[in-house]
Amino acid sequence: MSIAILMFTIRRYLYWRTLISISMLILGWALWVGALLSTDLVVTREWARSMLFGPFIPMCVALYVISPQFANTQQRKDGEYLSLIFSRPLPRWSYVLSKWLSGVIFILAIVIIQAVLAFALAGVAGRQPRDVLDCYSVADAILNAISYTALIVLISSLPSPWGYWIFAWIWAACVLITMGVGTMSFITSLSVSELSNSVVTAAQFLFSFFSVGIDSYHVFKSSRLPLIDIVIYVSNVVCYLTLSMFAMNRREFFYAND
Amino acid sequence: MSTTLNTVTEEASKAPAILIENLGKSFNFGRIKVLDDVSLRVADGDIFALIGPNGAGKTTLMGCMLALLRPSRGRIRIFGKPPDHIDVRRVTGFLPERPSFENWMNPREFLTFHQMLAGRSSDQAAKKEIDDALAAVELENVARRQIAKFSRGMLQRLGLAQVLIGKPKLCFLDEPTSGMDPPGMEMVRNILKRFRKDGVTVVINSHHLDEIERVCTRFAFIRKGKIETEEAISTLNRKLLIAKWPEEEKPDIDLLTRVLTECGVTLADQNDGYAKILLTNRHDGPKVIERLVQSGIRLDEVFFDRRSLSELFRPAVQQQSTQTSAAIKEENEQ
């Protein structure tokens, strides 16, 4: 683990442009959730788990803050950023792990902000805060963040065009399927509650292909420890990180540009 | 870390700083061959220049030496170790042609970051090292200014300051004077002189041939991925033969050109009174003179002259660059 990468990456998150972008994202989310909570929507645990702490924000934030290709804090886009870093005595696995850990730490901070906001929004909407927030939802959010961050580290470890394309496809597929489900639900005249649940289920289904989450309620409340779920979750994270290290080790960072 | 430094430098006294054997590098699954059978030996303490036209493979060669590119074949050893060895990286400094920095940092933060990456502890000595590096590139007055507000020349200076961090024993500088004003170029020259004095091995990739000639000890001319010439700057002497003829007996230029072509040398320049003949090898001189006299050309005076790197390689560089530009234009038109 590289302390330099960890420290300076976290320091980079506090750059005003990054903070403003993430604040806008959270504000948009809060408005959306607030609007939904003020309707007749029946808040189920599943809904809260997906909507309040779903993958959308961690995914965007992770992508935004982890990847040097996507982060907009660099002085020039065509410059040699990683080649300069890797000319130093920094093993590439160390870089990958440091980026992952810094992403996880930052997303945990976002999850805490989300939790506080969800708590406040529930109060404003005249609902019982415990209806929208419980410790299992927050635990799920943390576990999801660990998993999504590993996925984003993998995407950002790929050479630029591949990273961009994979992210673009995931993004496009999520938007299209979610919108498709929403439109279909609207056509079939579902209630707001059913419509919202359908969209969430579609997004959740799609994300499950890319990143495996874990239901902490199920883990803690079931009579037998769901070993298979835990093994799948852990192996998913380990697999993404291993692939990231492999991709980073194989990657070339220099090209004839004169 | 000091043990590692000592180990590497002790080995440096035995082995050359850089040893490259039959290096090849291709892209696009072998379709684009950039380096072809390159062999090179850079002695410890050399200030070594890579010169050549655009697209010759200089940057790729440097990338391979830094282990940022994986050679398709051949072998590279830096101080007797593979270039991606962590001990080699500990004593290596690198300035890319187009360094990219984090906008939000200031120079001091940036250098601290690289100091930490280099594995240096953050004590008083480390702080002094940063102060010295900033002073060496004359950025001490803007040490707290955000990098986003820097000009191109200032960024280049910052990149150079970064090279000084970690007290490198081997430096790779890709176009170090790019975007710099004349005082900046003077500053780079001074840093190189300091490196030379301290016994630091430096590999420079640059198009500023005059600058290279002033500071470098050896050079290699690369064209189309192959090293065509590799020699000491000091041997540039005696490669240009000046042949003067009597005023009233100007030779037939066609004949002169033909004889020189037969000898395998080039007529670099001529006027009413003399011809400048570029030799491939300085030992060719007597043979060329003999052939000229045999062909009936009367010569008054013949002597060797020094030729600059620019005079020697600019025509080759320009010719290749024109060809490259034409190829790019043709490709774009298609």
Side-chain angles (χ1 to χ4, degrees):
Chain A
M1 193 73 69
S2 166
I3 299 295
I5 296 289
L6 188 70
M7 252 180 68
F8 277 82
T9 308
I10 290 175
R11 168 71 181 80
R12 198 189 75 193
Y13 302 155
L14 306 176
Y15 184 47
W16 65 271
R17 257 189 234 169
T18 315
L19 288 179
I20 286 177
S21 308
I22 291 167
S23 303
M24 299 291 281
L25 194 68
I26 292 176
L27 186 66
W29 166 85
L31 288 172
W32 187 38
V33 169
L36 286 172
L37 285 175
S38 63
T39 65
D40 60 344
L41 180 79
V42 178
V43 178
T44 60
R45 206 188 73 77
E46 275 303 306
W47 188 90
R49 183 172 176 255
S50 307
M51 185 64 80
L52 296 180
F53 306 105
F56 178 71
I57 289 185
M59 195 90 176
C60 292
V61 171
L63 192 74
Y64 190 79
V65 298
I66 293 170
S67 167
Q69 296 103 312
F70 291 97
N72 69 349
T73 56
Q74 277 170 49
Q75 186 261 328
R76 52 192 291 183
K77 290 283 170 284
D78 62 336
E80 288 149 22
Y81 177 78
L82 286 174
S83 60
L84 196 59
I85 287 177
F86 286 123
S87 69
R88 295 291 178 187
L90 173 71
R92 294 184 184 187
W93 63 262
S94 171
Y95 176 84
V96 168
L97 285 184
S98 308
K99 281 279 165 186
W100 175 64
L101 192 65
S102 61
V104 168
I105 291 170
F106 192 63
I107 289 172
L108 291 189
I110 303 282
V111 166
I112 290 167
I113 292 170
Q114 275 186 285
V116 171
L117 275 175
F119 199 80
L121 286 168
V124 170
R127 291 168 183 267
Q128 284 298 317
R130 67 171 174 274
D131 288 347
V132 296
L133 186 73
D134 61 22
C135 60
Y136 298 112
S137 299
V138 177
D140 286 350
I142 292 167
L143 290 166
N144 282 341
I146 290 170
S147 170
Y148 297 137
T149 310
L151 173 64
I152 299 299
V153 166
L154 172 59
I155 293 174
S156 69
S157 299
L158 299 170
S160 292
W162 289 97
Y164 284 121
W165 277 111
I166 289 173
F167 178 70
W169 277 109
I170 293 177
W171 193 252
C174 290
V175 169
L176 285 176
I177 290 186
T178 310
M179 280 173 65
V181 170
T183 310
M184 287 304 292
S185 307
F186 184 74
I187 289 168
T188 51
S189 305
L190 292 175
S191 67
V192 174
S193 168
E194 289 167 324
L195 180 71
S196 169
N197 280 335
S198 304
V199 172
V200 167
T201 310
Q204 207 175 22
F205 172 73
L206 199 76
F207 269 110
S208 66
F209 281 107
F210 305 112
S211 184
V212 177
I214 195 161
D215 188 343
S216 57
Y217 184 83
H218 179 54
V219 171
F220 286 106
K221 293 286 179 179
S222 62
S223 53
R224 281 194 311 170
L225 190 67
L227 261 179
I228 292 180
D229 288 2
I230 294 170
V231 167
I232 289 173
Y233 172 81
V234 173
S235 60
N236 175 72
V237 173
V238 171
C239 173
Y240 279 148
L241 289 177
T242 309
L243 283 174
S244 306
M245 286 178 211
F246 179 76
M248 197 55 103
N249 272 327
R250 295 296 304 167
R251 211 171 132 183
E252 298 191 315
F253 289 98
F254 212 78
Y255 46 90
N257 52 19
D258 57 354
Chain B
M1 201 188 75
S2 57
T3 317
T4 316
L5 274 170
N6 288 338
T7 314
V8 173
T9 46
E10 271 165 29
E11 283 179 34
S13 59
K14 297 171 218 156
I18 302 170
L19 182 66
I20 300 174
E21 292 171 336
N22 312 110
L23 187 77
K25 177 65 187 172
S26 306
F27 292 101
N28 283 12
F29 303 101
R31 282 195 289 271
I32 302 170
K33 195 186 270 186
V34 180
L35 293 176
D36 185 16
D37 203 28
V38 170
S39 293
L40 200 64
R41 193 184 170 91
V42 179
D44 194 20
D46 261 356
I47 309 287
F48 195 94
L50 295 172
I51 61 173
N54 290 343
K58 307 184 296 292
T59 305
T60 304
L61 179 58
M62 199 176 262
C64 290
M65 287 191 265
L66 280 154
L68 295 168
L69 287 176
R70 208 168 283 104
S72 306
R73 64 198 159 277
R75 196 176 83 121
I76 301 177
R77 283 290 175 270
I78 311 278
F79 296 126
K81 293 183 175 177
D84 57 350
H85 198 286
I86 209 84
D87 289 348
V88 172
R89 292 207 188 282
R90 283 200 176 104
V91 293
T92 302
F94 169 47
L95 173 66
E97 186 184 354
R98 297 180 298 186
S100 183
F101 307 94
E102 289 282 3
N103 264 334
W104 56 268
M105 285 187 185
N106 63 41
R108 192 168 285 282
E109 283 174 318
F110 174 71
L111 295 181
T112 308
F113 174 53
H114 273 271
Q115 203 168 41
M116 287 174 77
L117 284 177
R120 313 281 282 189
S121 58
S122 52
D123 52 11
Q124 276 304 108
K127 191 175 171 296
K128 190 178 177 306
E129 187 182 41
I130 289 176
D131 289 339
D132 290 347
L134 286 169
V137 297
E138 295 157 17
L139 284 182
E140 63 269 52
N141 294 333
V142 288
R144 301 276 177 198
R145 190 190 291 180
Q146 209 176 43
I147 288 176
K149 293 168 187 155
F150 273 30
S151 69
R152 172 123 196 262
M154 287 164 87
L155 290 170
Q156 197 70 8
R157 283 168 187 249
L158 183 58
L160 208 56
Q162 168 269 146
V163 175
L164 302 174
I165 294 296
K167 303 238 180 311
K169 294 297 295 173
L170 172 63
C171 292
F172 293 94
L173 310 178
D174 199 354
E175 294 288 354
T177 52
S178 173
M180 278 196 185
D181 53 7
M185 289 167 88
E186 174 73 28
M187 181 207 71
V188 174
R189 206 178 300 137
N190 289 337
I191 288 175
L192 287 171
K193 280 178 186 167
R194 202 172 92 186
F195 278 151
R196 196 167 166 176
K197 195 175 137 213
D198 295 344
V200 177
T201 310
V202 182
V203 177
I204 304 178
N205 175 4
S206 176
H207 287 112
H208 288 106
L209 301 180
D210 298 334
E211 284 297 317
I212 282 175
E213 199 172 342
R214 290 171 83 163
V215 292
C216 292
T217 50
R218 289 186 74 80
F219 73 95
F221 179 73
I222 307 178
R223 186 156 41 178
K224 293 178 182 170
K226 283 178 182 285
I227 291 190
E228 290 193 356
T229 312
E230 194 245 306
E231 56 188 294
I233 295 283
S234 56
T235 61
L236 287 175
N237 284 325
R238 306 176 68 80
K239 285 194 84 170
L240 189 69
L241 193 68
I242 309 287
K244 285 189 173 179
W245 46 76
E247 259 181 51
E248 67 281 4
E249 286 190 46
K250 187 185 174 190
D252 176 5
I253 298 303
D254 288 341
L255 172 68
L256 179 70
T257 312
R258 198 168 60 244
V259 172
L260 294 178
T261 308
E262 282 168 10
C263 293
V265 296
T266 317
L267 178 62
D269 190 17
Q270 60 87 24
N271 65 14
D272 285 346
Y274 67 87
K276 283 184 175 180
I277 301 160
L278 180 61
L279 306 176
T280 318
N281 188 319
R282 60 182 172 159
H283 302 297
D284 290 342
K287 186 184 81 183
V288 172
I289 296 165
E290 191 183 334
R291 288 295 307 277
L292 287 172
V293 172
Q294 280 173 356
S295 62
I297 296 173
R298 256 194 76 190
L299 297 174
D300 244 3
E301 192 183 356
V302 180
F303 57 91
F304 282 110
D305 195 11
R306 179 184 166 82
R307 195 158 198 213
S308 69
L309 263 181
S310 299
E311 285 177 294
L312 273 171
F313 294 107
R314 189 154 288 153
V317 168
Q318 278 169 351
Q319 186 193 5
Q320 179 71 33
S321 297
T322 310
Q323 284 171 0
T324 308
S325 305
I328 292 168
K329 196 178 169 189
E330 195 178 314
E331 205 170 276
N332 288 341
E333 280 171 1
Q334 282 173 357

